[in-house]
Amino acid sequence: MISIAIMGYGTVGAGVAALLEDNKSRVTRAAGTPVDLKKILDLREFPGDRFSSLITHRFEDLLEDPGIRVVCECMGGKTYAYEYTKKLLAAGRSVVTSNKDLVAAHGAELLKLAKQSGVRYLFEASVGGGIPLLGPMSRDLGANRFREVYGILNGTTNYILTSMAESSAEFDVCLREAQDLGYAERNPANDVEGRDTANKISILASLAFGKHVYPESVETEGILGVSHEDILLAESIGCRVKLIGRALLDEEERVYAFVAPHFVSSVNRLAGVNGVFNGVILRADAVGDVMFYGRGAGRMPTASAVAGDVIEAVRTPSSSLPPLWEDGAEISDGSEHVSRWFVRSSVPVDASYFEAFDMISASAFMTGPMKNHDFHRRMDLFRKKYPVVNAFRVLD
Ligand code: HSE
């Protein structure tokens, strides 16, 4: 039998506790031994809860209990979660987490620390919720060189954009609806401003390319500027508006990573990823394109991924492999990256500033494929004559 603990008895932590208990025989079979939840760290009391007897308020109760071999960090944030994770890894405990903020900010350091201590640091739940993604990338696709990874990585914004398309309502109304349904948080800034997606694409890029890509290197634009009119224009040419996180290697093997609303053409499978679902596409040299799809958020999908990592840490408590990634990614400014662009003004325009273009309405058009630096140079000239409401990349 192996004893484990959970730090943070919120939505995810409570889901992990319930899943391990409710599916005990299945977990025992997968782990090869019973997994015993011994302690739960949380500042609050939970009278009447089925696990209330396991609650402790002292981190030292976990750290100083040599019987606890694996700890699930479900606290979130980068202060206590960071401090406790470092102490646990240094003390020879494996840590598994759903905390994308922490992994995106400190992944290279924590992976190195885990390696030095001969334990595991695992975070399948940090990207794509319940979708198995990081495991297949590092194991089953381990012989591939990745060229690109991109996708819809945030359920809240995808719910809002889907609902704007289906109900003809504007952003504020759809955000309130998402909050009422419990999808969006009361303070939705992290999601709608794109930072949650930036953290997730930074983790995917780090894993795909083997060097830590910090969120500060990810150009980030959220969905606050998307209006119903953009969505109608997108639909008129067979596109959907989606918040896309994307990371790719340029010709000099530098990483270009960005998060922005895109027009996604209906030929791209991400166009059909709706509501709170996530979809991720990997482009690799041997396998070609692979798509992952499923529930990217929510208590039990996320708990499924955390519990999967607990099983992995129990089965393989230390690994002889090098860390999944190290520091030192070279970052590209993306100036040579080629895209088509959707541009919308508030007045009728002459789009001949852009050599190749298709008009969508009197005030909106789509450019031909252009390098970023060329697009921005022409936009600077265009803006001198016309007010620009929005400019979004197109994903074919
Ligand atoms: N706020 C996140 C989302 C939660 O909406 O996708 C899962 O990371």
Side-chain angles (χ1 to χ4, degrees), residues 107-151:
E109 178 195 355
L110 295 170
L111 284 164
K112 189 171 167 192
L113 184 52
K115 177 76 194 161
Q116 285 165 349
S117 300
V119 291
R120 310 293 304 277
Y121 183 54
L122 299 167
F123 38 84
E124 180 64 67
S126 65
V127 184
I131 307 171
L133 183 55
L134 308 184
M137 276 177 80
S138 55
R139 195 183 46 247
D140 309 290
L141 298 172
N144 286 259
R145 279 185 301 175
F146 295 106
R147 296 303 311 175
E148 181 171 349
V149 51
Y150 67 99

Side-chain angles (χ1 to χ4, degrees), residues 50-51 53-54 106 114 129 135 176 190 202 205 219 229 233 267 298-299 333 340 361 388 396:
R50 66 199 275 207
F51 297 109
S53 63
L54 305 184
H106 299 291
R176 263 199 307 282
N190 229 23
S202 99
E219 277 176 30
E229 182 157 0
L233 288 166
V267 298
R299 171 185 296 225
D333 65 5
R340 292 194 294 147
S361 72
V388 173
D396 291 305

Side-chain angles (χ1 to χ4, degrees), residues 100 153-156 183 185 191 196 200 278 296-297:
K100 61 242 165 182
L153 299 166
N154 182 268
T156 302
Y183 296 141
E185 293 178 33
D191 292 321
D196 179 78
K200 291 167 176 168
N278 283 193

Side-chain angles (χ1 to χ4, degrees), residues 217-273:
S217 315
V218 180
E219 277 176 30
T220 304
E221 177 188 345
I223 63 164
L224 290 166
V226 178
S227 73
H228 190 59
E229 182 157 0
D230 300 310
I231 288 173
L232 286 179
L233 288 166
E235 285 180 348
S236 75
I237 53 167
C239 291
R240 302 294 297 250
V241 179
K242 300 286 183 191
L243 183 67
I244 300 292
R246 191 170 180 196
L248 40 86
L249 287 183
D250 72 7
E251 288 184 353
E252 288 156 45
E253 306 279 307
R254 294 172 308 186
V255 181
Y256 178 43
F258 54 95
V259 172
H262 281 62
F263 270 35
V264 179
S265 149
S266 56
V267 298
N268 190 301
R269 290 184 189 280
L270 293 180
V273 176

